[in-house]
């Protein structure tokens, strides 16, 4: 939480989804990629994980753990059920948010943005079709961040992800590129989070 956190005010919440590669958990990406940038920008940053690693680590498990974390937040701070929520994920986590974001929307969260970086497949269209959060979800802003030297998720592949999501019906889309490889870029994260808040005003 930001140092000036006051639960009586409304706060944007960034929900983190990590890749299951290298046995990473959501909290690992919170600590390594999003916590510092998110808190500095005035966001609460939230990750939901089980007490131990899942035997079968898949989007259903990640979604259930994330919903449990949202539930804990709302029990702790009753007004937080109205707070705006964005989802962010890198690499496999960028694919994971394609399911987690529609799931949160379907469960009543006010999703104001989806931040995808280093993802070489469009799982957002698949998640939208599978979860069925409703047509208004297609207005959710989507920010794709691509490293120009990324060999795992090339710029071309990430533009293809954007094109696929647009064909599904997502209308508010931005792509940002940066000098770097397969990594999360702090400046891009800040830009995406600012954009989400501006559009949510």
């Amino acid at each position: 939480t930001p140092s000036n956190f006051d639960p009586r005010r409304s706060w944007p919440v960034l929900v983190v989804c990590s890749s299951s590669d290298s046995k990473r958990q959501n909290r690992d990406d919170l600590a390594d990629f999003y916590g510092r940038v998110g808190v500095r920008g005035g966001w609460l940053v939230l990750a939901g994980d089980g007490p131990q690693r899942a035997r079968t680590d898949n989007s259903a498990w990640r979604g259930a753990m994330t919903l449990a974390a949202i539930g804990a937040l709302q029990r702790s701070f009753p007004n937080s059920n109205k707070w705006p929520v964005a989802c962010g994920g890198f690499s496999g986590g960028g694919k994971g948010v394609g399911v987690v974001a529609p799931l949160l929307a379907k469960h009543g969260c006010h999703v104001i943005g989806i931040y995808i970086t280093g993802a070489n497949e469009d799982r957002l269209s698949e998640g939208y079709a599978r979860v069925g959060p409703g047509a208004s979800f297609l207005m959710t802003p989507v920010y794709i961040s691509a490293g120009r030297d990324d060999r795992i998720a090339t710029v071309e592949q990430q533009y293809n992800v954007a094109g696929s999501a647009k064909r599904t019906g997502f209308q508010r889309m931005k792509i940002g590129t940066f000098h770097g490889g397969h990594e999360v870029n702090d400046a891009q994260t800040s830009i995406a989070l600012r954009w989400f808040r501006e559009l949510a005003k």
Side-chain angles (χ1 to χ4, degrees), residues 12-35:
V13 181
L14 176 61
V15 173
V16 174
C17 190
S18 78
S19 173
S20 57
D21 295 349
S22 308
K23 301 198 180 339
R24 289 187 71 84
Q25 292 188 281
N26 296 325
R27 61 177 170 257
D28 298 324
D29 281 18
L30 185 154
D32 293 346
F33 305 138
Y34 306 106

Side-chain angles (χ1 to χ4, degrees), residues 61-165:
W61 167 263
R62 297 286 176 134
M65 293 304 103
T66 301
L67 285 172
I70 289 284
L73 177 75
Q74 293 177 353
R75 285 190 300 277
S76 299
F77 309 117
N79 293 332
S80 66
N81 63 343
K82 300 181 183 74
W83 294 354
V85 173
C87 295
F90 164 60
S91 194
K95 298 173 188 175
V97 294
V99 174
V100 170
L103 195 60
L104 293 179
K106 189 160 186 180
H107 280 80
C109 290
H110 175 42
V111 180
I112 64 165
I114 301 166
Y115 178 52
I116 299 171
T117 184
N120 54 19
E121 292 175 43
D122 171 25
R123 296 281 174 81
L124 182 56
S125 297
E126 177 188 331
Y128 174 72
R130 273 175 49 198
V131 176
S136 62
F137 186 73
L138 294 171
M139 291 303 294
T140 306
V142 179
Y143 191 102
I144 295 176
S145 168
R148 291 177 196 150
D149 301 318
D150 195 335
R151 301 283 175 260
I152 295 170
T154 65
V155 171
E156 182 183 8
Q157 286 174 317
Q158 295 192 67
Y159 269 90
N160 288 341
V161 169
S164 174

